[in-house]
Amino acid sequence: MDSFISKIRSLDAYPKINEDFYSRTLSGGVITLASSIIMTLLFISELRLYLHAATETKLVVDTSRGETLRINFDITFPAIPCSILSVDAMDISGEQHLDIRHDIIKKRIDVLGNVIETRKEGIGSPTIDRPLQRHGGRLEHNETYCGSCYGAEGSDDHCCNTCEDVREAYRKKGWALTNPDEIDQCKREGFLEKIKEEEGEGCNMYGFLEVNKVAGNFHFAPGKSFQQSNVHVHDLLTFQKDSYNISHNVNRLTYGEYFPGVVNPLDGVTWTQETPHGMYQYFIKVVPTVYTDVSGHTIQSNQFSVTEHFKGADFGRFQSIPGVFFFYDLSPIKVTFTEQHVSFLHFLTNVCAIVGGVFTVSGILDSFIYHGQKAIKKKMELGKFS
């Protein structure tokens, strides 16, 4: 048993020296104190990295299919009234959403930006006072009101009881409503009067759009839109205005949900129009993004980059539509962010490396200083040091 213990003792890589042979120096004390401080600071830094999650970034090919893209927006137009402003969305697959109203809120604002009114719909309901019937006569007490669509009826029993109904029927036919005062419903509702009352007002429009996950565009422009000879046009004659100021503030624009670290380059962007007419365009490249936090919760979202361009009123032979257009395209590459903690073994390895490395370097430095001082002292005693 004693021989076995002796063999184990002979394997000791750390032989002990009697304390009587220790020689403590001032330089050694200073180095020990400095190395202890350095080791403590490095340990705290490593501990912070261990306690906080690290984010790993990867690029992969986006193989998702059949998904939709949610666009959240909050845009203010200081010089366009809410009653004439509309939003449309269309994509390269041919799908169109014109004069979108669901999931969108409009706020009338004055020149100072104060909210006058918040509403979901456009100009309000009519006041029935013996309005003109579809058959040409006036509404009698025993009759049900059915207003004329002025040739734009979609079926025999189609009624247009409000100015908005007539405008919508004209839009579906691809017709422009040139003079609202000739339409009984618009005249009774005071359509043009209300537009003139809102002259000088602005509009804050916010909400979201749910579109196909393919390239497309959405835009904010005055007037109702319709297709005419396969061309997208807006009915601007209705408002009897010569110019439209499309100055705007993009308060918020996101493609998908928020996730930590996302940067939306258009948030807070302001543009002021200096010419009477024109179209402002944003060209956006959308990058699909997946964010997974430390708990395993996954957020499917998007990032985007953007360039801007202003197009004047005349372009080639066509006159551009006054409005703000957002053209977006999707990147085939998906970015994945994954939050994860450093493993405990990795943390332990780094701590050992810190302690061992600082201890070794400080030992070498102490040995160099000690032996250097000793050599100088010996030369001084022999009178050879100069």
Side-chain angles (χ1 to χ4, degrees), residues 299-361:
I299 300 175
Q300 301 280 349
S301 189
N302 301 277
Q303 303 176 86
F304 67 92
S305 60
V306 62
T307 55
E308 307 169 19
H309 176 68
F310 176 71
K311 186 164 67 173
D314 295 316
F315 184 74
R317 294 183 303 167
F318 300 97
Q319 190 176 45
S320 59
I321 300 172
V324 180
F325 287 68
F326 296 84
F327 297 91
Y328 57 88
D329 196 4
L330 289 118
S331 169
I333 302 299
K334 178 188 291 185
V335 180
T336 63
F337 295 109
T338 306
E339 276 190 349
Q340 54 188 4
H341 280 300
V342 177
S343 67
F344 179 74
L345 289 179
H346 189 272
F347 168 72
L348 191 61
T349 301
N350 288 349
V351 170
C352 292
I354 290 171
V355 174
V358 174
F359 184 78
T360 302
V361 171

Side-chain angles (χ1 to χ4, degrees), residues 52-176:
H52 288 77
T55 302
E56 181 183 6
T57 305
K58 289 183 180 179
L59 299 179
V60 296
V61 176
D62 185 13
T63 57
S64 60
R65 293 179 296 175
E67 296 182 354
T68 59
L69 183 66
R70 176 167 173 149
I71 305 171
N72 306 295
F73 62 87
D74 181 355
I75 302 178
T76 300
F77 296 86
I80 298 183
C82 288
S83 58
I84 70 173
L85 189 63
S86 64
V87 56
D88 303 330
M90 53 195 69
D91 58 45
I92 58 173
S93 70
E95 186 168 325
Q96 297 186 5
H97 301 276
L98 305 180
D99 195 17
I100 302 171
R101 299 192 176 192
H102 56 83
D103 303 316
I104 292 177
I105 305 295
K106 290 182 178 180
K107 289 183 179 180
R108 291 173 56 195
I109 57 175
D110 59 20
V111 291
L112 300 177
N114 301 316
V115 177
I116 301 173
E117 180 189 9
T118 301
R119 65 189 182 194
K120 286 189 176 182
E121 291 298 328
I123 290 179
S125 58
T127 301
I128 304 292
D129 183 17
R130 299 196 72 235
L132 188 67
Q133 288 281 60
R134 181 177 171 184
H135 53 69
R138 290 291 172 178
L139 177 67
E140 301 297 337
H141 292 293
N142 58 349
E143 282 188 297
T144 302
Y145 177 53
C146 180
S148 173
C149 295
Y150 298 88
E153 290 85 355
S155 61
D156 291 339
D157 58 351
H158 187 192
C159 300
C160 294
N161 295 342
T162 66
C163 182
E164 192 63 32
D165 290 343
V166 178
R167 294 179 66 204
E168 183 66 16
Y170 268 57
R171 184 192 68 78
K172 289 180 179 180
K173 286 285 188 179
W175 299 348

